[in-house]
Amino acid sequence: MTATSSPPLVLPTAQDQTAARGALLHSGNAGVVVERVGQLRAEFRSEGRQFARELAEYLNTHYADIISVFVYEETFGTKDRLHWLMHLKSLHAYEQLIRMGTADEGWRDIILRERIPAERGGGAWDRLFLDGALHETVLIPSTFGMYGTSESTPDSVTAEDGAATFVVPTAQLQTDVPVEQQLNSTTCGILMHRVAELKYEYRAEGRAFARALCESWNRVLAGHATIYLYEEAFGQSDRIHHFIHLKSLSSYYTLMGVRATSDPATREVFTRQWISDEKGGGGWDRMFVQGSLCDLALTPQHWGMYATKAGA
């Protein structure tokens, strides 16, 4: 018998969720990324996904100049837990969106509409989710000098109305890999979210390591993965976030291969002594709170996932 292999399964990416045309905001060009997580009730798993996609598409088509929103599911983790990634131009854009609650009738219709049939108890979107399960994390692309991690004033600080203002470069500028060769939250097959908490005494060294890791891997993984680094704007201080954009789930093997390679340039980031002798010396493993590194894989949501009903 001759062994044959099945053709690779190509799943839709997040950009396929929207009919919006023109430039989309994504993890590479957004000034702010807000991750909203919600746990659906199992009995309303289809209705909840329909609501999530409808809400995202309304923003994508009516506020395309300031926000792009996409929905993801946990590849491995808690089932029926949805993740919205809201890509905003800036925090100013979020202030504009706050007005929707009272001024945008289309938005209010989506929020107030009955989504559960009477024979199942009736109700709007609030019945679709577990109480207290909605949670948001605000992420800003990391750049050198943020949060006092530089001994000198970085070039990204400008004067505005007499006060110093930090201008945050977008994440796609963290690497010298050409933008057209980078993967992002709209084009990747899997988005791996890695979270880690730095020890306060090594907060500057830890960020330097995290950025060096991004640049090293971005160069060697071009075409397979792209990695960006973010900071929490409101939340746990010195908790950093990597978005590792994989072309597909099997690209994880390539990531493993890079980590295991004996290539000196690749391994140097992990073997370098990042901590000065004055602080006791040491490598990257001393800079993080033990047990704080955590990975989560997200798959762009598409209709029919996990035997759920498609949208109207």
Side-chain angles (χ1 to χ4, degrees):
M1 295 179 64
T2 302
T4 59
S5 59
S6 300
L9 177 63
V10 179
L11 296 176
T13 57
Q15 64 186 355
D16 297 317
Q17 293 178 7
T18 181
R21 294 295 176 260
L24 297 171
L25 288 166
H26 52 70
S27 55
N29 63 12
V32 179
V33 178
V34 179
E35 182 179 20
R36 176 178 293 172
V37 183
Q39 181 64 47
L40 291 171
R41 297 181 185 275
E43 61 183 315
F44 303 132
R45 56 205 304 264
S46 292
E47 292 87 349
R49 286 167 170 83
Q50 291 163 3
F51 163 73
R53 288 286 297 273
E54 184 179 352
L55 184 68
E57 184 64 351
Y58 186 85
L59 291 169
N60 290 338
T61 54
H62 288 75
Y63 296 89
D65 56 331
I66 60 172
I67 189 172
S68 295
V69 185
F70 304 100
V71 183
Y72 303 79
E73 308 221 16
E74 295 189 9
T75 315
F76 309 103
T78 304
K79 296 307 177 188
D80 298 325
R81 180 174 292 168
L82 297 185
H83 296 247
W84 286 271
L85 288 186
M86 299 183 285
H87 308 85
L88 296 146
K89 271 195 171 182
S90 67
L91 291 174
H92 296 295
Y94 191 83
E95 292 178 318
Q96 291 179 254
L97 293 174
I98 292 175
R99 303 191 189 100
M100 288 190 305
T102 56
D104 189 325
E105 291 302 323
W107 166 265
R108 289 174 60 82
D109 173 67
I110 293 174
I111 296 298
L112 299 176
R113 187 186 312 160
E114 289 285 304
R115 295 185 173 274
I116 302 171
E119 59 269 22
R120 298 174 66 191
W125 75 271
D126 51 306
R127 278 204 62 207
L128 304 174
F129 293 87
L130 295 181
D131 291 336
L134 285 169
H135 175 75
E136 290 184 346
T137 304
V138 181
L139 304 175
I140 292 181
S142 179
T143 190
F144 295 117
M146 289 178 72
Y147 304 119
T149 54
S150 175
E151 295 182 357
S152 59
T153 301
D155 295 336
S156 49
V157 174
T158 62
E160 185 175 310
D161 296 330
T165 299
F166 203 102
V167 179
V168 182
T170 57
Q172 64 190 14
L173 300 178
Q174 293 175 0
T175 175
D176 58 11
V177 174
V179 171
E180 61 272 13
Q181 295 180 24
Q182 297 179 30
L183 292 166
N184 58 59
S185 54
T186 64
T187 59
C188 67
I190 295 289
L191 196 160
M192 199 164 88
H193 186 177
R194 173 170 294 173
V195 184
E197 186 176 346
L198 292 167
K199 294 180 180 178
Y200 189 82
E201 61 184 319
Y202 305 131
R203 58 202 305 264
E205 295 89 342
R207 286 168 169 84
F209 161 74
R211 280 293 298 274
L213 178 65
C214 285
E215 187 55 19
S216 172
W217 280 10
N218 281 331
R219 288 171 179 167
V220 74
L221 287 167
H224 299 279
T226 299
I227 307 172
Y228 300 141
L229 178 65
Y230 304 84
E231 311 244 7
E232 284 191 28
F234 309 98
Q236 186 73 36
S237 179
D238 295 320
R239 185 160 54 196
I240 60 175
H241 299 251
H242 280 110
F243 275 6
I244 305 173
H245 309 83
L246 301 177
K247 187 174 183 180
S248 66
L249 186 59
S250 59
S251 298
Y252 189 78
Y253 290 127
T254 307
L255 199 66
M256 292 173 64
V258 170
R259 184 66 178 89
T261 185
S262 59
D263 175 65
T266 304
R267 292 182 61 85
E268 191 273 338
V269 174
F270 289 98
T271 58
R272 186 189 310 176
Q273 295 297 293
W274 290 95
I275 302 172
S276 65
D277 292 337
E278 291 79 8
K279 290 186 175 183
W284 71 271
D285 52 314
R286 280 197 60 202
M287 298 186 291
F288 292 91
V289 175
Q290 294 297 311
S292 69
L293 274 79
C294 180
D295 287 347
L296 177 67
L298 301 174
T299 301
Q301 202 278 334
H302 59 271
W303 296 127
M305 285 181 72
Y306 307 119
T308 53
K309 297 178 182 178

